[in-house]
Amino acid sequence: VPADRRAVLRRLYRGLDGFGIPAVETDRIRAAGSSATYGELMPTATLRLLARLDLGEDDALYDLGCGTGKLVLLAALTRPLARATGIELSPTRTALARRALARARRSTRLCARVCSFRTESFLRSDLSDATVVYTCSTAFPTPLMRRLAGKLARIRSLRLFATLQDLDPHPAFELVEILRLDVSWRRRAAVHLYRAHPGRR
Ligand SMILES: C[S@@+](CC[C@H](N)C(=O)[O-])C[C@H]1O[C@@H](n2cnc3c(N)ncnc32)[C@H](O)[C@@H]1O
């Protein structure tokens, strides 16, 4: 695994840590029927996942619950994407993501128009141009996962959905692979990769 990219990531995130957020934010995320539990896909694992997603210049990638935005930044730094967007309910975490993005713009050739971060619930987001969606969804409550699956099933451009928590059987999603990737809380966590057949009910 290219050590240089891990070194870039370490530099971009020096002093920026998404694990602790103010209690008011945790309460607000819970009140929205969600979970503020934090954890991250490890850098090497992120690069492996990004390679498997086969991202090209027509792709619009979303990380739903992006935390401090490492997957979004690594994607933009390593893949020829149209857009990479992180959606996150915690304003503390999106602020950290934007700081890392500002550093990336100063110190790398990261194309400024590719990356963005939004502080909102992904259930309310406009995801209509998404082609690939990732979510580190382990702690998300079942009703939230169901609503998310229903929302993604209607996006016509969607081709792949990668999620740590598996989906209930759904005609719009076909499980193609279970990757084993290291996350911050355990080794070899299951990451479910679904091919999307939007519009199927
Ligand atoms: C396990 S963390 C994932 C961090 C990031 N994807 C990574 O791998 O580095 C999940 C994040 O989802 C956020 N979250 C939970 N529900 C959300 C919602 N409805 N909309 C946006 N973000 C949400 C949480 O605040 C938390 O930061």
Side-chain angles (χ1 to χ4, degrees), residues 72-120:
V72 168
L73 281 190
L74 266 179
L77 285 166
T78 57
R79 302 277 147 184
L81 283 168
R83 278 177 297 289
T85 308
I87 313 272
E88 170 58 55
L89 259 177
S90 157
T92 299
R93 291 183 183 140
T94 37
L96 293 169
R98 291 192 187 111
R99 281 180 61 189
L101 174 58
R103 288 179 184 171
R105 284 178 178 156
R106 281 196 300 271
S107 63
T108 70
R109 282 174 298 142
L110 182 68
C111 190
R113 61 189 169 73
V114 170
C115 275
S116 62
F117 294 101
R118 300 195 219 141
T119 309
E120 60 193 22

Side-chain angles (χ1 to χ4, degrees), residues 29 34-41 63 65-67 87-89 93 120-122 134 136 140:
I29 294 168
S34 199
S35 157
T37 303
Y38 199 67
E40 294 180 347
L41 201 56
D63 181 354
C66 69
I87 313 272
E88 170 58 55
L89 259 177
R93 291 183 183 140
E120 60 193 22
S121 170
F122 51 69
Y134 164 73
C136 187
F140 293 171

Side-chain angles (χ1 to χ4, degrees), residues 180-194:
R180 291 281 167 181
L181 298 175
D182 293 350
V183 287
S184 54
W185 66 93
R186 61 163 292 182
R187 293 181 62 81
R188 294 176 53 75
V191 179
H192 303 82
L193 187 63
Y194 292 89

Side-chain angles (χ1 to χ4, degrees), residues 58-62 83 126-133 151-161 172-173 194-199:
D58 293 331
D59 277 309
L61 169 72
Y62 285 83
R83 278 177 297 289
D126 176 5
L127 306 173
S128 54
D129 66 339
T131 62
V132 177
V133 169
K151 180 178 172 107
L152 296 183
R154 291 190 294 275
I155 301 174
R156 297 182 54 170
S157 51
L158 189 68
R159 60 180 185 83
L160 284 175
F161 178 36
F173 296 103
Y194 292 89
R195 192 170 297 131
H197 304 289

Side-chain angles (χ1 to χ4, degrees), residues 33 123 140-150 165 168:
L123 289 180
F140 293 171
T142 306
L144 180 78
M145 284 303 291
R146 293 218 176 103
R147 286 179 66 190
L148 177 59
Q165 194 176 145
D168 289 342

